[in-house]
Amino acid sequence: MLKEQINLKKLPRHIAIIMDGNGRWAKGQGKFRIFGHQNGVISVREVAEGCAELGVECLTLYAFSTENWSRPKHEVSALMSLLVKTIRTETKTLMDNGIKLDAIGDRNMLPKDCISELDEAMEITKANKRMTLILALSYSAKWDIVNATKQIAAKAKNNEISVEDIDETMINNTLTTYKYPHPELMVRTSGEQRISNFLLWEIAYSELYFTDVLWPDFRKEDLYKAIIDFQNRERRFGKTSEQLSEIKK
Ligand code: FPP
């Protein structure tokens, strides 16, 4: 059993996933792309449950990027409807698993029903402590960094801070991801090896894991494989192997 090979004491606190390959999965079966997104919801449920069962604290899923707005109109509206429906129907799964829901991204871009569904699910799940599921919606890392820069510049202009006060901590605390530890592990499915504007600042020291599995086929076993791979890596944070073994002694 793969699950038993996982060292629960060395779990990543935060896993981020680029859920890719829904369209190809559907096309491979002669179906419309949205069929792939619909089946992707099953993988979302599996992975959220899998992470919560293990004790991962945060899971961030790239559900809709800023760039996804330029997809054909019918796909965008089908994805938004799917999101609204999924958030509504899966609130029970979130409650059953003690999962709190949160979202990052430019929420003003989202349709009204999506914002109200999200707000409702976030309110219902807010006291859950086992894990936080963070949906990246209308999100891109460059958008977040530009947004944070504007806020910091406005503070400097109003003399609330001086330019010398600007440091990594301030930038960190101004990004929409400020509440969460940075992901130790980032996974991308479908064989593509790109970051696609996801959490650029936060993945400075993340381990990257790429798998050929298409997102609608991704199951708990695939999650376990990614975590085992992560646990077999040496995370040096710029130090040498020798320095690390000194620290461990
Ligand atoms: C990428 O596959 C996937 C998306 C843009 C959407 C992901 C959305 C879901 C899995 C559904 C709902 C999610 C939640 C969190 C409720 P792609 O369309 O780029 O696939 P392709 O590269 O094969 O074309």
Side-chain angles (χ1 to χ4, degrees), residues 70-135:
S70 53
R71 288 195 173 193
K73 234 176 154 184
H74 63 87
E75 185 172 342
V76 171
S77 72
L79 261 171
M80 285 299 142
S81 308
L82 180 64
L83 273 165
V84 171
K85 186 176 145 230
T86 307
I87 295 166
R88 188 176 304 149
T89 53
E90 296 298 323
T91 305
K92 188 181 175 313
T93 314
L94 298 177
M95 293 308 288
D96 289 347
N97 288 281
I99 302 173
K100 174 178 165 172
L101 186 69
D102 200 359
I104 53 170
D106 188 1
R107 60 184 271 135
N108 296 327
M109 290 286 290
L110 298 170
K112 279 204 180 71
D113 59 342
C114 191
I115 299 177
S116 56
E117 209 58 55
L118 253 182
D119 284 345
E120 197 176 322
M122 278 160 50
E123 180 61 29
I124 295 171
T125 61
K126 73 176 181 197
N128 289 344
K129 295 268 180 310
R130 196 159 166 223
M131 188 182 88
T132 306
L133 171 64
I134 304 141
L135 297 184

Side-chain angles (χ1 to χ4, degrees), residues 12-236:
R13 292 180 65 197
H14 186 171
I15 299 179
I17 305 185
I18 303 177
M19 311 180 285
D20 196 13
N22 294 351
R24 275 164 284 166
W25 185 89
K27 280 200 154 180
Q29 305 180 37
K31 302 267 172 55
F32 291 116
R33 296 174 54 82
I34 191 65
F35 184 67
H37 299 315
Q38 285 161 347
N39 280 275
V41 173
I42 301 168
S43 311
V44 169
R45 193 185 305 133
E46 277 266 317
V47 167
E49 269 183 10
C51 284
E53 283 161 6
L54 286 170
V56 173
E57 289 169 45
C58 304
L59 170 67
T60 300
L61 300 177
Y62 207 6
F64 195 89
S65 72
T66 311
E67 290 76 20
N68 286 153
W69 290 115
S70 53
R71 288 195 173 193
K73 234 176 154 184
H74 63 87
E75 185 172 342
V76 171
S77 72
L79 261 171
M80 285 299 142
S81 308
L82 180 64
L83 273 165
V84 171
K85 186 176 145 230
T86 307
I87 295 166
R88 188 176 304 149
T89 53
E90 296 298 323
T91 305
K92 188 181 175 313
T93 314
L94 298 177
M95 293 308 288
D96 289 347
N97 288 281
I99 302 173
K100 174 178 165 172
L101 186 69
D102 200 359
I104 53 170
D106 188 1
R107 60 184 271 135
N108 296 327
M109 290 286 290
L110 298 170
K112 279 204 180 71
D113 59 342
C114 191
I115 299 177
S116 56
E117 209 58 55
L118 253 182
D119 284 345
E120 197 176 322
M122 278 160 50
E123 180 61 29
I124 295 171
T125 61
K126 73 176 181 197
N128 289 344
K129 295 268 180 310
R130 196 159 166 223
M131 188 182 88
T132 306
L133 171 64
I134 304 141
L135 297 184
L137 291 172
S138 190
Y139 171 89
S140 79
K142 287 188 180 178
W143 165 81
D144 206 8
I145 293 167
V146 169
N147 196 37
T149 307
K150 283 182 185 164
Q151 290 180 47
I152 292 172
K155 280 190 183 162
K157 193 176 163 201
N158 296 336
N159 292 320
E160 288 169 51
I161 56 164
S162 73
V163 171
E164 285 66 39
D165 293 333
I166 301 171
D167 60 5
E168 278 192 25
T169 309
M170 185 181 293
I171 295 174
N172 229 357
N173 292 343
T174 316
L175 293 168
T176 56
T177 52
Y178 74 97
K179 285 182 245 170
Y180 304 109
H182 291 171
E184 287 99 331
L185 171 61
M186 176 177 279
V187 174
R188 182 173 189 144
T189 59
S190 91
E192 307 291 347
Q193 303 198 357
R194 284 190 293 279
I195 304 301
S196 299
N197 214 347
F198 192 35
L199 303 173
L200 296 179
W201 172 276
E202 297 82 353
I203 57 161
Y205 284 101
S206 302
E207 296 297 329
L208 307 179
Y209 177 86
F210 300 103
T211 168
D212 287 339
V213 176
L214 301 175
W215 180 251
D217 287 328
F218 199 88
R219 292 291 174 269
K220 284 183 190 173
E221 294 294 302
D222 300 294
L223 170 75
Y224 301 154
K225 277 185 201 159
I227 295 176
I228 291 165
D229 188 272
F230 164 83
Q231 293 188 329
N232 287 325
R233 298 187 194 184
E234 183 184 58
R235 306 192 71 214
R236 292 206 296 269

